[in-house]
Amino acid sequence: MALVPNPVVNEGPLFAEVEMGGDSSSSTVRATVVQASTVFYDTPATLDKAERLLAEAASYGAQLVVFPEAFIGGYPRGSTFGVSIGNRTDKGKEEFRKYHSSAIDVPGPEVDRLAAMAGKYKVYLVMGIIERDGYTLYCTVLFFDSQGHYLGKHRKIMPTALERIIWGFGDGSTIPVYDTPVGKIGAAICWENRMPLLRTAMYAKGIEIYCAPTADAREVWQASMTHIALEGGCFVLSANQFCRRKDYPPPPEYVFSGTEEDLTPDSVVCAGGSVIISPSGAVLAGPNYDGEALISADLDLGEIVRAKFDFDVVGHYARPEILSLIVKDHPVSPVSFTSTSSTSKTESSST
């Protein structure tokens, strides 16, 4: 059975696309950011929803589609996981077990399905997930090409505040920028976008389409996105979830700490604010605070060259003899074993 049903007469789309057209005389890339909520604690249903949204974006001509932070696996907004200094509750530990169960392995069957979706709809896909690596979770972005190939991942290098209780820390080996036919694509997640050295590393890799999946719906987030577009001379695509209280399990299974008593099922707990910004700092589409939406724009890649003429932060506007950056981009593991190589050498010498 097809996961995305064939069109039905008089049946409208999941929700309306919000867009602004580009200059048809320029070389453009059609980009879409998805503003939608996870089906919390239900990864198969979330994958089904992702495919419906991807199909709809592709029907509008999208070549690149960016999903929010933690779309697969969920952003556990409002939860404390029963943590206080010196104590973790049994209920909080059970919440983490359920959250861990909703995460996905990389590689794994869910990654294979996402790759197949990208290939089926012929789009480049940037997907926010919760990655499960043994018993540690990471807030991660996965990249796929339009031929259905998994390209790689970026793990969030610095979770924010209580996120550090539930997510591990990425290292310098997963800060990729992929050179694709639609542009050089990379991503930073939520508040790590406010880390100047991380941004500089991505600029040095030549990023042109800067994806910023986030969970920050505050108006001040827009200032950060505009600054990055201007600073990097790149397009910025920020995707956030739009969630109401009813998009999460009801209490007592799931509790929004400190605010639960003030919420109704229809209360907005994350207002979105997804946006697409040009290298000149112009808002091309969004920000949208109205509900779930597909937010699209045509990216004129010539804008990158025009912006870099004014300001190239790692080129003609750099002063490496005064200021420079070293990025430790090798994988870091807490445990290394030498016995395997030693055993091989011993066996070779004895034969």
Side-chain angles (χ1 to χ4, degrees):
M1 179 182 295
L3 293 172
V4 179
N6 293 325
V8 178
V9 177
N10 295 329
E11 182 177 327
L14 223 58
F15 37 77
E17 184 195 40
V18 182
E19 63 172 298
M20 290 188 66
D23 180 357
S24 60
S25 66
S26 300
S27 175
T28 62
V29 172
R30 182 74 162 176
T32 296
V33 295
V34 173
Q35 180 164 289
S37 66
T38 301
V39 184
F40 210 81
Y41 287 154
D42 193 339
T43 297
T46 302
L47 286 164
D48 289 345
K49 183 174 183 177
E51 179 153 8
R52 293 194 299 271
L53 294 168
L54 199 59
E56 192 169 328
S59 75
Y60 290 121
Q63 298 164 273
L64 168 66
V65 181
V66 181
F67 278 76
E69 176 180 12
F71 185 78
I72 306 295
Y75 187 82
R77 187 176 301 276
S79 178
T80 65
F81 288 87
V83 171
S84 59
I85 300 298
N87 185 57
R88 291 179 176 84
T89 66
D90 289 342
K91 182 177 184 296
K93 291 178 181 179
E94 175 60 14
E95 286 179 13
F96 182 77
R97 185 201 63 76
K98 293 165 67 175
Y99 190 54
H100 179 273
S101 180
S102 298
I104 66 174
D105 297 326
V106 181
E110 294 85 1
V111 177
D112 293 341
R113 182 174 173 190
L114 289 168
M117 290 181 200
K120 179 178 180 180
Y121 299 106
K122 305 301 182 188
V123 299
Y124 286 82
L125 173 61
V126 179
M127 175 63 74
I129 70 156
I130 300 303
E131 176 190 359
R132 180 177 56 227
D133 187 354
Y135 299 102
T136 296
L137 303 180
Y138 295 91
C139 185
T140 298
V141 167
L142 304 182
F143 300 86
F144 303 88
D145 71 16
S146 61
Q147 302 305 305
H149 300 125
Y150 167 61
L151 298 177
K153 68 186 178 184
H154 164 63
R155 283 178 172 174
K156 193 173 188 177
I157 65 171
M158 178 50 69
T160 299
L162 273 177
E163 292 175 357
R164 297 172 199 168
I165 299 295
I166 55 169
W167 296 340
F169 294 63
D171 60 33
S173 69
T174 66
I175 310 175
V177 171
Y178 296 101
D179 192 354
T180 79
V182 298
K184 296 178 181 177
I185 303 170
I189 306 169
C190 206
W191 276 23
E192 66 177 1
N193 283 286
R194 296 169 63 176
M195 300 174 71
L197 301 184
L198 174 60
R199 298 198 308 268
T200 302
M202 295 172 68
Y203 301 150
K205 291 188 174 187
I207 193 166
E208 296 172 334
I209 301 177
Y210 186 116
C211 303
T214 189
D216 192 341
R218 298 173 307 155
E219 192 172 328
V220 72
W221 179 253
Q222 303 301 317
S224 291
M225 297 298 95
T226 301
H227 173 77
I228 291 170
L230 288 168
E231 179 183 67
C234 52
F235 289 96
V236 173
L237 281 58
S238 182
N240 193 7
Q241 297 193 32
F242 183 94
C243 306
R244 299 184 186 275
R245 176 62 186 88
K246 63 187 177 184
D247 293 317
Y248 287 81
E253 180 183 5
Y254 192 101
V255 175
F256 277 71
S257 179
T259 62
E260 186 65 60
E261 61 277 6
D262 300 323
L263 299 176
T264 69
D266 287 324
S267 295
V268 175
V269 295
C270 183
S274 302
V275 69
I276 300 176
I277 301 176
S278 81
S280 67
V283 175
L284 301 180
N288 184 301
Y289 297 100
D290 298 328
E292 293 197 333
L294 300 178
I295 301 162
S296 298
D298 294 326
L299 313 184
D300 173 9
L301 299 185
E303 280 293 310
I304 297 169
V305 180
R306 291 188 281 271
K308 298 285 192 180
F309 178 64
D310 287 338
F311 185 83
D312 185 354
V313 69
V314 291
H316 62 77
Y317 226 90
R319 290 295 304 275
E321 75 279 17
I322 302 172
L323 302 168
S324 62
L325 172 65
I326 297 173
V327 180
K328 299 178 180 178
D329 59 355
H330 57 279
V332 177
S333 174
V335 180
S336 298
F337 293 96
T338 62
S339 58
T340 302
S341 58
S342 299
T343 301
S344 298
K345 290 179 181 179
T346 301
E347 290 175 348
S348 296
S349 62
S350 64
T351 55

